[in-house]
Amino acid sequence: MDNSYYNPLLEGDNGALKRALYKAMGFTDSALQKPLIGIVNTYTNATPGHYNINEMCEHVQKGIEAAGGTAMTFGTIAPCDGIAEGHEGMRYILPSRDIISSSVECMVRAHRFDGLVLLGSCDKIVPGLLMAAGRLDIPAIFCNGGPMFPASYKGKHYDGNIVTEAIGWKQRKLISEEEFKMIENLAEPCVGSCAMLGTANTMGCMAEAMGMSLPGCATVPAVMSERMQFAYKTGEAILELVKKGITARRIITKESIANAIMVLTAIGGSTNGIMHLQAIYKEAGLGWLPLEVFDEYSRKIPQIASIYPASPYDMVDFYEAGGVPAVLKELEDNLYDCMTVSGKTIKENLKRYEHSNRREVVSSIDEPFASSGGVAILTGNIAPSGAVVKPAAIPENLMSFTGRAKVFVGEEEACKCILSGDVQEGTVVVLAYEGPKGGPGMPEMYRPMKCLEGMNLSSTCALITDGRFSGSNRGCFVGHISPEAYEGGVLGLVKDGDLIEIDIDSRKIELLVDDEELEKRRISWVKREKDIKDGYLNTYKRISKSAAQGAVVE
């Protein structure tokens, strides 16, 4: 009996049934003797960021076969944040991250693939795939689907969230119904992840920064031939990792995560990147990653990239400015020299890259856009376990802000009130009971912030919540407030008219109500329960951890 199978599962008499099952689909003995590489193909025609993944999968498969492997594909869910936004579907988006991770784990451990290529593009799919790689600890490479091109409206580039802003413009009678329809039709001009530095593109950049994607991969637009070339090269590269025995946990280390944190703060990425890096860190067997670490790097690493929504420059501009390698080049003296999926260390990879020639997008580290990083951690009596904020997207006049609270029981009520003109300048909009357990599912409070923009209030109001925000949001917003209101956090004790102080430079958020009054409120506090449908949200509510711990499930 020929036992020259690379995968031990297929050897000998015990492997005969497994070989037979693969042969039922046309695989030959010759193909089955090679390393078996699983490709996680997250294609769906329901999510624009994943519409090109099938084509990428074909190129990955060609690369695998050219390098001497056999490719086998399988899928998992890939919900779109934009389509889930503004209704109960958003409560399922963050929980989907852990379903994606676990579904990949189940398939890989059942089939015992020799290596893994992870294809994904959107907000929770990317971290879910990287979490799976860390948990499985087999040779693995991630390749993202790439950003879309921006919308162009009246000589200015926008991401697709121009539609939500246009609702406010129409409400204020700045545009007609016909103009609104035209904006809708041009807002998302092609496939790909959204054109701004939202969570999807942030996490693509994080994957490259930690060494889990090939150098230069993260920012290549979805519709360019280079995107397919990267897919092919990824297929080739996974065979090298398999042959050398380089597994995911040799790449996802404490040091490589530190490199990713430095890039996150240097580019002013999505605040969601914080909880996703925490989750990847845990799944790689590294324990818990405290929020304080992010703030330490934020104070150390300046903001050297400025990308929409922090500036007019979109992801295509970032790509043309050199992308992640251009940022790493500026940070080189601060980086840990970690192994990457290229088979080389990060500093070896950087030898073939130059500094950016578009300094309006990627600055010199000696002349940064801001002296501290683009994401930060706040603490105070309202957030003793921490809260996250994105200084890169906050107007200068709101870096220190004190306002009167206006408390809402839900996102829909807040949006209705904002659009009707009932929210005044100087208000701190408070949205509680939106955390992992209280939401449940920790939905994004994207739409209330966009409504404030559309009503021209984003430079005179703030919004705080134990929920999350979209990476496309800009203005003074504070999220992930922990402990969340549902678990007895002070956020649940706030009343209309209370003064709230937010000071970004001092990293402080305080409810200006004395302890005696807060204790009276706590005595009469009753936990607010939401009526949710039977199913996974109830499970997630029961087993999810705090936002300060990445909202992972245990």
Side-chain angles (χ1 to χ4, degrees):
M1 182 69 187
D2 183 4
N3 286 329
S4 59
Y5 289 88
Y6 188 92
N7 190 307
L9 202 65
L10 303 183
E11 290 183 347
D13 292 349
N14 287 338
L17 175 58
K18 298 165 184 63
R19 296 194 300 269
L21 288 166
Y22 281 130
K23 288 175 180 178
M25 297 173 283
F27 289 102
T28 64
D29 277 313
S30 175
L32 294 175
Q33 286 166 351
K34 300 173 182 177
L36 305 185
I37 309 300
I39 306 175
V40 187
N41 178 357
T42 56
Y43 163 81
T44 170
N45 67 354
T47 301
H50 287 242
Y51 191 77
N52 66 334
I53 299 290
N54 256 351
E55 187 179 0
M56 286 179 60
C57 187
E58 292 174 7
H59 286 271
V60 171
Q61 184 168 336
K62 290 176 183 176
I64 290 170
E65 292 169 352
T70 294
M72 297 180 175
T73 67
F74 65 95
T76 186
I77 60 172
C80 174
D81 282 48
I83 292 169
E85 177 274 320
H87 59 95
E88 69 172 355
M90 179 49 73
R91 305 190 184 281
Y92 290 84
I93 290 295
L94 179 59
S96 76
R97 180 191 68 178
D98 297 85
I99 289 178
I100 291 162
S101 179
S102 295
S103 70
V104 174
E105 175 202 355
C106 290
M107 186 68 178
V108 171
R109 287 193 169 147
H111 283 244
R112 290 176 61 184
F113 294 119
D114 299 303
L116 193 60
V117 173
L118 306 145
L119 300 179
S121 196
C122 290
D123 294 35
K124 308 308 171 291
I125 298 90
V126 178
L129 296 175
L130 292 170
M131 288 163 65
R135 186 185 302 176
L136 292 163
D137 193 27
I138 66 172
I141 303 183
F142 172 76
C143 186
N144 62 311
M148 68 170 65
F149 275 75
S152 183
Y153 176 66
K154 292 188 175 180
K156 182 180 175 183
H157 284 175
Y158 290 84
D159 74 318
N161 294 301
I162 184 178
V163 173
T164 311
E165 293 181 43
I167 293 172
W169 299 343
K170 187 171 71 168
Q171 188 78 16
R172 292 159 56 203
K173 303 192 184 307
L174 298 177
I175 59 173
S176 65
E177 186 65 42
E178 292 73 22
E179 186 82 356
F180 181 77
K181 187 67 175 179
M182 187 189 77
I183 290 171
E184 175 188 331
N185 290 338
L186 60 79
E188 310 276 9
C190 62
V191 301
S193 51
C194 296
M196 78 291 188
L197 189 60
T199 306
N201 291 317
T202 294
M203 291 312 300
C205 292
M206 294 302 95
E208 185 177 333
M210 72 176 71
M212 282 297 291
S213 292
L214 291 175
C217 178
T219 60
V220 177
V223 296
M224 292 182 69
S225 61
E226 189 181 0
R227 173 53 57 196
M228 299 305 150
Q229 292 166 7
F230 263 108
Y232 185 92
K233 292 175 185 176
T234 296
E236 290 182 311
I238 188 61
L239 264 296
E240 285 300 306
L241 294 183
V242 170
K243 291 171 184 175
K244 293 176 180 177
I246 299 175
T247 64
R249 288 190 181 184
R250 286 187 58 188
I251 294 168
I252 306 174
T253 64
K254 289 183 178 180
E255 292 77 17
S256 74
I257 293 286
N259 287 342
I261 294 171
M262 284 187 259
V263 171
L264 176 67
T265 190
I267 65 177
S270 168
T271 51
N272 289 310
I274 294 172
M275 63 168 42
H276 296 325
L277 287 176
Q278 288 178 301
I280 295 164
Y281 190 92
K282 178 181 177 295
E283 294 294 355
L286 299 171
W288 295 106
L289 179 59
L291 283 176
E292 291 79 10
V293 174
F294 291 87
D295 205 57
E296 288 170 11
Y297 281 107
S298 179
R299 293 178 185 276
K300 175 183 175 183
I301 301 297
Q303 183 195 345
I304 58 171
S306 189
I307 306 150
Y308 192 89
S311 79
Y313 302 108
D314 50 57
M315 286 302 297
V316 177
D317 291 306
F318 188 29
Y319 163 69
E320 292 173 350
V324 174
V327 174
L328 292 172
K329 196 77 175 174
E330 297 298 329
L331 298 178
E332 190 166 4
D333 290 343
N334 297 281
L335 298 174
Y336 295 97
D337 198 17
C338 302
M339 175 61 67
T340 74
V341 293
S342 72
K344 299 179 181 179
T345 68
I346 194 166
K347 292 190 178 182
E348 287 174 331
N349 288 335
L350 287 176
K351 288 177 182 177
R352 64 188 178 94
Y353 290 99
E354 302 293 332
H355 292 275
S356 178
N357 60 4
R358 289 194 59 182
R359 290 308 198 187
E360 75 279 16
V361 182
V362 179
S363 72
S364 161
I365 196 167
D366 297 321
E367 296 180 341
F369 294 104
S371 59
S372 62
V375 296
I377 307 301
L378 308 185
T379 57
N381 67 344
I382 203 169
S385 299
V388 303
V389 69
K390 185 174 178 178
I394 298 177
E396 186 62 35
N397 68 299
L398 293 180
M399 294 293 281
S400 180
F401 179 78
T402 301
R404 295 281 180 188
K406 192 168 182 62
V407 182
F408 294 96
V409 296
E411 179 186 12
E412 191 64 39
E413 181 190 0
C415 290
K416 183 178 179 181
C417 191
I418 292 166
L419 292 174
S420 68
D422 289 340
V423 171
Q424 308 299 317
E425 293 183 2
T427 297
V428 178
V429 175
V430 178
L431 279 163
Y433 292 93
E434 299 293 4
K437 294 182 182 295
M442 202 179 178
E444 285 182 349
M445 298 298 102
Y446 153 89
R447 202 153 56 102
M449 278 303 303
K450 287 297 179 183
C451 289
L452 288 173
E453 278 190 65
M455 295 300 286
N456 200 30
L457 291 169
S458 61
S459 61
T460 57
C461 291
L463 195 155
I464 69 171
T465 181
D466 47 10
R468 299 181 296 114
F469 288 98
S470 165
S472 69
N473 282 132
R474 55 179 177 258
C476 186
F477 55 89
V478 181
H480 307 204
I481 289 176
S482 301
E484 60 176 291
Y486 185 85
E487 294 190 301
V490 171
L491 188 69
L493 305 180
V494 180
K495 293 185 176 182
D496 283 350
D498 286 348
L499 278 174
I500 295 174
E501 179 188 8
I502 302 167
D503 192 322
I504 306 302
D505 290 336
S506 298
R507 302 294 199 262
K508 182 173 68 174
I509 179 168
E510 292 281 342
L511 176 63
L512 302 181
V513 174
D514 63 56
D515 292 342
E516 185 179 347
E517 172 60 23
L518 286 179
E519 189 55 36
K520 289 178 182 177
R521 295 182 188 182
R522 191 176 297 281
I523 291 169
S524 60
W525 174 74
V526 177
K527 182 186 295 186
R528 186 166 155 249
E529 296 283 357
K530 293 181 181 176
D531 184 19
I532 56 175
K533 295 177 181 176
D534 291 342
Y536 179 57
L537 274 188
N538 288 283
T539 302
Y540 184 80
K541 177 181 178 178
R542 187 176 71 253
I543 64 177
S544 59
K545 302 289 281 186
S546 163
Q549 294 179 294
V552 298
V553 299
E554 277 199 322

